[in-house]
Amino acid sequence: MKGSVVLLLVAAISWVLITRAESADYRLSRSVVPSFYNITIDFRKSWKKIGLQYDGEVAITLQTNQSDISEITLHGYFYMSSCLIYNKDGILHQNVSITSLKNDRETRKLTVPLLEPLTVNENYTLYFQYEGHVDVYEEGVVLTGYEVADKRYDVIVTQLDPVYAPRVFPCFDDPSLKAKFELHISRPSEYNVISNTKLVRTTDIGNDRFMDHFDVTPIMSTHLLAFVISEYQARGNLSDFAVLSAPEYYNYTEFSYNVGKNTLMAYNDLFEVPYKELGNEVLQFAVAPWFDTARPNWGLITFSEVLLVHKPGYTDGHRNKEATCRAIAHELALMWFGNSVTISWWSHLWLSVGFAAYYENFMSDELCSDYDLEELFVVNNLQKCLEDDAAITSLPLTRLETEIQSPAEIKNQSNTFVYDKGASIIRMWHDIMGQDNFNKSIKSYLKEFHLKNVEPSDLFAHLKRNWPAQPEVDLDTFFADFTEQPGYPMVIVNISDDNQRVILHQKRFLYDPEDGSDATLRYTIPITFTTNLDTKFYNNSTPYTYFHKNMSTVEISFDEPIEWIVLNLQQSNYYRVLYDKPILSKLLSPSNRFRIPQTNRAQIVDDLFIFAHAGMIDYTDVFEFLEYLNMEIQYLPWKAAYHGMERVARRLTPQQLPHFEKYLRNITYRAFNHVNIQSKSYPFGVYNQVLQLSWLCKYQNEDCNKLVKFMFEQNIEKPSPDFRETIYCGVSRTSAHAEVWRIYQNETDEDEKDLLLRAIACTRDYRTFLKLELFHLIPDPGRLIGIKLIYQQNPDLITPIFETIIENIEELS
Ligand SMILES: *[C@@H]1O[C@H](CO)[C@@H](O)[C@H](O)[C@H]1NC(C)=O
Ligand SMILES: *[C@@H]1O[C@H](CO)[C@@H](O)[C@H](O)[C@H]1NC(C)=O
Ligand SMILES: *[C@@H]1O[C@H](CO)[C@@H](O)[C@H](O)[C@H]1NC(C)=O
Ligand SMILES: *[C@@H]1O[C@H](CO)[C@@H](O)[C@H](O)[C@H]1NC(C)=O
Ligand SMILES: *[C@@H]1O[C@H](CO)[C@@H](O)[C@H](O)[C@H]1NC(C)=O
């Protein structure tokens, strides 16, 4: 009996799910178009600080282009107290009964029935009075806060991007249904409010409360509206450019302020239409406590605290500043590629975030030039993306509109793959066209579509206008190959016996060609190369030719025998290169290898690991090749090498580990000698030192452990932020593990405490850790992380750690 009930239930549920999936229609029709929102948000009078509810009012000016509509459908899910429709003269057209409003939880649609149709192309005002709620997650109007000296301060931050506007006010939440917004917000006297635009005036509404009135925004998408209620202090000028943070952190926002200012000037020059002429004079960066990302609201960009505030000795390391440089360049680019020029639908998201991720790496101002972001892009973004884009799960950049419909699908679109592949493909076009042609196209594109919406073809049309005539290529096919097809190709390089002809083949690169992916896909591939006859790695990104889709091979002939050849210079194009053995061995000969720039060395290392992972070459060949690393001191090849080794190292047995340590010791001979205690080095130098320390100590290299201990004793309280976690972790591995605990117990900064906990999990005293510390000292969420870290950090102890976990499984669960 019970069984059949369950079965019935299962059947009913799956039936519901199926019909939902088929019938749910999330998109709004275009029959009603809004042009203006007048919004008032009044936090409850009864509250002490910031109340958890607010009274909302919104008056939406709209028009219809259809003569027979019987209802207006928009988005929103609220408790309503009034719904009225006025005609263009402000005369009541319909008092809509609240009970006749239809709300659908799944699609978030709100339907207003009309008693008589609206006159075509005439303005009406749809007015709602409703009750809104403050959220404690990152959706809609969010209550967050911060603590200084044991005192808590509340902060209200909004996050409407990408799909949360309908949680804040009834609206037409579709990026192409742009409108202007006017916002009125109440606040207690000790707080201040900032929003997208200038504060126009403030009115006293009694009870120690004030209403702030903001200027009308430019025409923009609903998800760009924002406000922050706080006790923040501004660095800079609120009617121009300012960074806002807790007053206690004012002194620590100088770096982010200067980066913001410089980057803004650089974009103003580059894009021709300066920021202010886009339609909004103010630009504010504000801290969104607890948020771990940034949001590009027009005029009010919110950032996580660590991106704007650099606390001396805590968050002012190279890594922190690099992250700030990136985030600011990224979010600011979106003022043009997102707010002014907007995607027509989320399926084209790469058109905006791809440019943001591109400029993040290629536009950073001089304060950030130390970070060599262009070179980092290859190992951090491009190679990561190539790694993810080679299986049945690979998706094309441009998706079908029908595939991206529900809020969940829209949120999923915003992932690092779309960012990184978008940026990689844009970089490829940029490098082929050359800077000047590319910039010309971008300027005219931004100008034509200012305040409008775009699809990929709109961008392509502008790229085509300035595309160089030679070598010939069918641009429509080339653009489509890398945006509408999933995945990417590999080019196989063979050489003739007389070393005068190089023969190229292409195929789609897949880890497993049998996994159901379309292995027959082909691509239009730009071929760039250099040889020992004409060593030219830079400023040489114009393709020699294209590998067209209909050709079976491409041949390159030379007048005399060549010694070596490198393809895909700077890895500026989106493919991998497999060199046949005779070529590879010459590339690596001691006299040749360092003629190849570090980006291309990193590329070769990364490709080799991935080809080995895919079973196309032997790992023995890879490790043989990696022996060249014993002469390598540059960061990028090491980064690629360790990334590749990680996959291999995870599979080593405890018996194999000592051999691995010996191998590491050999190949790191020179790089490790560059590690020094004075960390005043340039960023890549510091990154490389941290990388070497974390690997060598993890695999129990004696010199590494000694060095870390020494570094710790020299500077017991605060190693510099870049080194800190690695050093604390290394120290935890040695007998000084209790020292790190003592530091933890004295520490008050929450982020720093997390860092220390991660470091403590490196201890080899796993019994004490698992029994005492994990159970009694580490707060709950920290435990899972602790367990995961302790075995990741001590690969040789995996078996005893696992046994101890099993012994204590009851206590743990
Ligand atoms: C918007 O609403 C406020 C408050 O109801 C009102 O004072 C203001 O005039 C309205 N703005 C426009 C442009 O109608
Ligand atoms: C309708 O309202 C919008 C926004 O207030 C305004 O810009 C537009 O001129 C109005 N249209 C007509 C026909 O009155
Ligand atoms: C900020 O810097 C000023 C000037 O250097 C100093 O007087 C002030 O105490 C600092 N404030 C904080 C909170 O550190
Ligand atoms: C070309 O190189 C690939 C990769 O090393 C190899 O498998 C293939 O046999 C080579 N082809 C010829 C004709 O040498
Ligand atoms: C912890 O703080 C106390 C009091 O400020 C200090 O005396 C002690 O040295 C600190 N311990 C460590 C490990 O920093």
Side-chain angles (χ1 to χ4, degrees):
M1 196 56 204
K2 247 187 186 168
S4 59
V5 171
V6 170
L7 262 183
L8 269 176
L9 256 175
V10 170
I13 288 167
S14 49
W15 179 78
V16 169
L17 286 178
I18 289 164
T19 49
R20 272 270 169 79
E22 278 172 356
S23 67
D25 182 6
Y26 298 89
R27 300 285 292 274
L28 300 173
S29 75
R30 301 298 155 117
S31 58
V32 176
V33 178
S35 57
F36 180 68
Y37 292 81
N38 191 359
I39 307 166
T40 302
I41 290 183
D42 187 2
F43 289 92
R44 287 272 163 91
K45 297 158 188 72
S46 61
W47 106 69
K48 284 211 187 75
K49 283 214 149 182
I50 305 259
L52 285 179
Q53 267 125 34
Y54 59 86
D55 293 324
E57 276 180 84
V58 59
I60 311 171
T61 310
L62 46 78
Q63 285 194 1
T64 179
N65 51 16
Q66 275 177 30
S67 56
D68 53 353
I69 56 163
S70 59
E71 56 187 30
I72 300 173
T73 302
L74 64 166
H75 292 120
Y77 206 96
F78 298 98
Y79 176 75
M80 299 285 182
S81 51
S82 170
C83 175
L84 307 165
I85 301 172
Y86 296 96
N87 73 10
K88 68 180 198 306
D89 301 318
I91 295 167
L92 189 66
H93 174 81
Q94 185 183 334
N95 184 343
V96 184
S97 130
I98 298 301
T99 51
S100 71
L101 294 173
K102 275 185 288 173
N103 234 165
D104 184 276
R105 211 172 245 289
E106 165 83 9
T107 60
R108 311 173 308 153
K109 277 182 178 172
L110 167 63
T111 304
V112 180
L114 295 172
L115 298 179
E116 2 169 344
L118 305 178
T119 310
V120 171
N121 295 338
E122 218 171 85
N123 275 345
Y124 287 84
T125 301
L126 173 61
Y127 170 86
F128 294 100
Q129 213 176 12
Y130 62 98
E131 184 183 283
H133 288 264
V134 175
D135 192 286
V136 285
Y137 302 104
E138 299 189 356
E139 300 173 358
V141 178
V142 186
L143 174 65
T144 72
Y146 57 94
E147 256 178 44
V148 179
D150 285 337
K151 186 164 185 282
R152 191 197 138 97
Y153 298 85
D154 287 336
V155 179
I156 292 271
V157 177
T158 52
Q159 170 157 337
L160 274 53
D161 181 34
V163 290
Y164 308 120
R167 292 189 176 218
V168 182
F169 57 103
C171 59
F172 296 79
D173 192 30
D174 180 317
S176 67
L177 291 173
K178 292 185 174 189
K180 294 182 176 184
F181 298 80
E182 183 180 309
L183 191 61
H184 313 267
I185 305 183
S186 74
R187 62 171 168 87
S189 58
E190 68 267 35
Y191 286 81
N192 56 65
V193 185
I194 48 172
S195 181
N196 304 79
T197 49
K198 273 204 288 261
L199 178 67
V200 184
R201 71 202 155 86
T202 296
T203 45
D204 190 336
I205 50 173
N207 273 343
D208 217 17
R209 292 162 67 250
F210 292 88
M211 182 73 79
D212 287 333
H213 308 273
F214 291 90
D215 209 354
V216 178
T217 68
I219 187 162
M220 65 182 200
S221 309
T222 36
H223 65 267
L224 297 177
L225 193 75
F227 58 86
V228 173
I229 309 179
S230 69
E231 293 165 78
Y232 285 169
Q233 185 181 352
R235 174 188 289 281
N237 182 347
L238 276 181
S239 57
D240 182 41
F241 170 57
V243 174
L244 292 107
S245 69
E248 292 79 2
Y249 299 155
Y250 177 87
N251 282 2
Y252 312 145
T253 54
E254 198 177 348
F255 181 77
S256 51
Y257 177 80
N258 288 331
V259 171
K261 211 168 168 165
N262 291 355
T263 311
L264 185 61
M265 282 190 311
Y267 281 146
N268 283 346
D269 288 343
L270 182 67
F271 298 146
E272 219 162 71
V273 185
Y275 175 76
K276 288 191 179 192
E277 285 174 30
L278 295 179
N280 187 2
E281 298 218 329
V282 306
L283 178 63
Q284 306 149 103
F285 294 173
V287 171
W290 306 352
F291 283 55
D292 56 8
T293 54
R295 292 288 158 177
N297 316 299
W298 198 335
L300 171 50
I301 309 178
T302 55
F303 290 90
S304 61
E305 183 185 283
V306 67
L307 292 172
L308 292 185
V309 175
H310 295 99
K311 299 180 194 163
Y314 282 96
T315 51
D316 63 344
H318 283 316
R319 282 276 181 221
N320 301 113
K321 290 185 167 170
E322 182 201 319
T324 298
C325 290
R326 286 176 178 286
I328 289 177
H330 186 103
E331 301 305 321
L332 265 184
L334 289 170
M335 299 297 115
W336 283 265
F337 293 92
N339 301 3
S340 151
V341 176
T342 311
I343 48 172
S344 59
W345 183 244
W346 299 103
S347 48
H348 308 137
L349 186 65
W350 71 268
L351 266 188
S352 100
V353 296
F355 276 99
Y358 173 79
Y359 284 110
E360 160 188 341
N361 289 285
F362 299 95
M363 191 50 211
S364 55
D365 80 289
E366 79 233 54
L367 280 174
C368 302
S369 59
D370 283 354
Y371 298 102
D372 289 327
L373 297 178
E374 287 196 49
E375 298 204 317
L376 270 186
F377 178 82
V378 171
V379 290
N380 283 353
N381 307 81
L382 173 65
Q383 289 176 1
K384 167 96 187 46
C385 190
L386 289 173
E387 190 175 342
D388 295 342
D389 198 11
I392 183 77
T393 47
S394 295
L395 293 167
L397 267 184
T398 302
R399 306 287 304 281
L400 295 175
E401 285 198 25
T402 49
E403 291 171 336
I404 312 295
Q405 293 286 313
S406 69
E409 287 160 348
I410 293 169
K411 280 190 272 179
N412 283 344
Q413 261 304 82
S414 188
N415 55 54
T416 51
F417 176 74
V418 172
Y419 287 50
D420 287 345
K421 185 163 181 180
S424 300
I425 302 303
I426 290 166
R427 173 174 175 255
M428 171 162 78
W429 297 332
H430 167 276
D431 288 1
I432 296 173
M433 293 175 80
Q435 174 119 322
D436 292 346
N437 290 327
F438 180 80
N439 286 350
K440 258 190 247 165
S441 300
I442 294 306
K443 282 179 198 175
S444 61
Y445 165 75
L446 289 175
K447 213 168 208 164
E448 178 176 351
F449 297 103
H450 175 50
L451 302 182
K452 301 198 180 85
N453 291 86
V454 284
E455 300 188 353
S457 58
D458 297 320
L459 172 69
F460 299 158
H462 283 265
L463 293 178
K464 279 184 190 169
R465 280 190 203 170
N466 301 293
W467 200 276
Q470 289 298 325
E472 252 177 63
V473 61
D474 176 354
L475 284 176
D476 289 320
T477 310
F478 179 45
F479 292 148
D481 286 351
F482 287 94
T483 57
E484 288 167 25
Q485 299 192 140
Y488 61 89
M490 62 188 282
V491 171
I492 301 155
V493 188
N494 296 95
I495 195 159
S496 61
D497 291 338
D498 62 1
N499 288 336
Q500 279 183 262
R501 274 183 319 122
V502 167
I503 304 102
L504 310 179
H505 289 86
Q506 73 152 296
K507 64 177 182 186
R508 180 175 176 195
F509 175 75
L510 289 165
Y511 294 113
D512 173 11
E514 316 277 277
D515 74 352
S517 302
D518 183 354
T520 65
L521 287 186
R522 297 172 69 79
Y523 304 80
T524 307
I525 309 175
I527 301 296
T528 57
F529 68 87
T530 195
T531 67
N532 59 298
L533 301 179
D534 176 22
T535 320
K536 215 166 149 203
F537 281 99
Y538 296 94
N539 307 321
N540 190 16
S541 50
T542 306
Y544 165 83
T545 185
Y546 285 87
F547 198 139
H548 297 285
K549 290 171 90 164
N550 57 2
M551 305 197 309
S552 59
T553 56
V554 167
E555 280 199 25
I556 311 170
S557 306
F558 300 92
D559 296 336
E560 49 183 302
I562 58 163
E563 259 179 60
W564 52 264
I565 182 167
V566 170
L567 270 87
N568 197 2
L569 303 180
Q570 311 295 308
Q571 202 164 14
S572 73
N573 302 306
Y574 196 68
Y575 57 92
R576 295 188 185 279
V577 183
L578 176 61
Y579 298 97
D580 196 12
K581 258 191 165 170
I583 313 177
L584 190 63
S585 57
K586 292 222 186 79
L587 270 182
L588 296 177
S589 73
S591 57
N592 290 335
R593 56 180 68 143
F594 290 113
R595 291 200 195 157
I596 304 169
Q598 63 163 326
T599 36
N600 277 114
R601 297 206 294 277
Q603 169 193 12
I604 295 170
V605 169
D606 177 63
D607 281 350
L608 284 175
F609 267 113
I610 293 291
F611 291 138
H613 178 57
M616 293 174 184
I617 59 173
D618 265 355
Y619 271 112
T620 359
D621 293 338
V622 182
F623 281 97
E624 209 168 279
F625 175 77
L626 287 186
E627 281 174 18
Y628 105 87
L629 287 169
N630 64 17
M631 299 298 285
E632 180 68 83
I633 53 166
Q634 299 294 334
Y635 173 61
L636 298 182
W638 273 112
K639 176 92 204 270
Y642 278 128
H643 181 70
M645 275 193 260
E646 199 161 359
R647 192 182 287 119
V648 182
R650 248 186 268 141
R651 296 204 209 126
L652 297 176
T653 63
Q655 292 72 30
Q656 290 169 321
L657 286 169
H659 302 293
F660 185 60
E661 188 275 323
K662 187 157 173 255
Y663 175 77
L664 278 186
R665 202 186 326 147
N666 287 337
I667 61 169
T668 55
Y669 174 72
R670 287 201 52 192
F672 187 66
N673 276 342
H674 274 73
V675 179
N676 61 38
I677 324 166
Q678 259 62 41
S679 64
K680 294 274 177 275
S681 181
Y682 62 103
F684 277 15
V686 169
Y687 295 173
N688 202 14
Q689 294 181 36
V690 171
L691 191 63
Q692 302 298 345
L693 282 178
S694 61
W695 272 78
L696 284 167
C697 289
K698 179 170 171 180
Y699 292 97
Q700 296 304 308
N701 176 277
E702 231 172 87
D703 294 335
C704 182
N705 282 329
K706 265 192 221 148
L707 182 65
V708 160
K709 214 170 158 202
F710 179 67
M711 289 167 95
F712 181 67
E713 282 159 3
Q714 290 289 301
N715 196 350
I716 194 146
E717 269 316 279
K718 286 261 169 290
S720 78
D722 287 303
F723 281 96
R724 193 168 312 139
E725 184 164 347
T726 309
I727 291 189
Y728 286 156
C729 166
V731 168
S732 293
R733 279 205 190 90
T734 71
S735 52
H737 148 227
E739 287 286 301
V740 186
W741 258 117
R742 280 205 304 117
I743 300 175
Y744 172 82
Q745 274 151 345
N746 260 17
E747 183 57 63
T748 52
D749 186 280
E750 287 301 320
D751 295 329
E752 185 73 3
K753 284 185 102 128
D754 288 348
L755 179 153
L756 283 156
L757 275 187
R758 290 196 299 272
I760 289 165
C762 300
T763 180
R764 300 181 61 76
D765 184 4
Y766 55 91
R767 284 188 187 281
T768 315
F769 180 81
L770 286 171
K771 283 207 155 139
L772 186 72
E773 288 152 3
L774 196 58
F775 294 140
H776 303 296
L777 301 171
I778 301 182
D780 277 3
R783 285 193 189 168
L784 278 178
I785 301 169
I787 291 181
K788 201 171 139 200
L789 284 177
I790 195 173
Y791 73 75
Q792 275 179 1
Q793 291 291 1
N794 294 289
D796 55 323
L797 298 178
I798 243 175
T799 313
I801 288 173
F802 195 65
E803 281 166 9
T804 313
I805 291 176
I806 300 277
E807 277 165 31
N808 294 286
I809 195 77
E810 260 175 36
E811 218 176 326
L812 256 173
S813 60

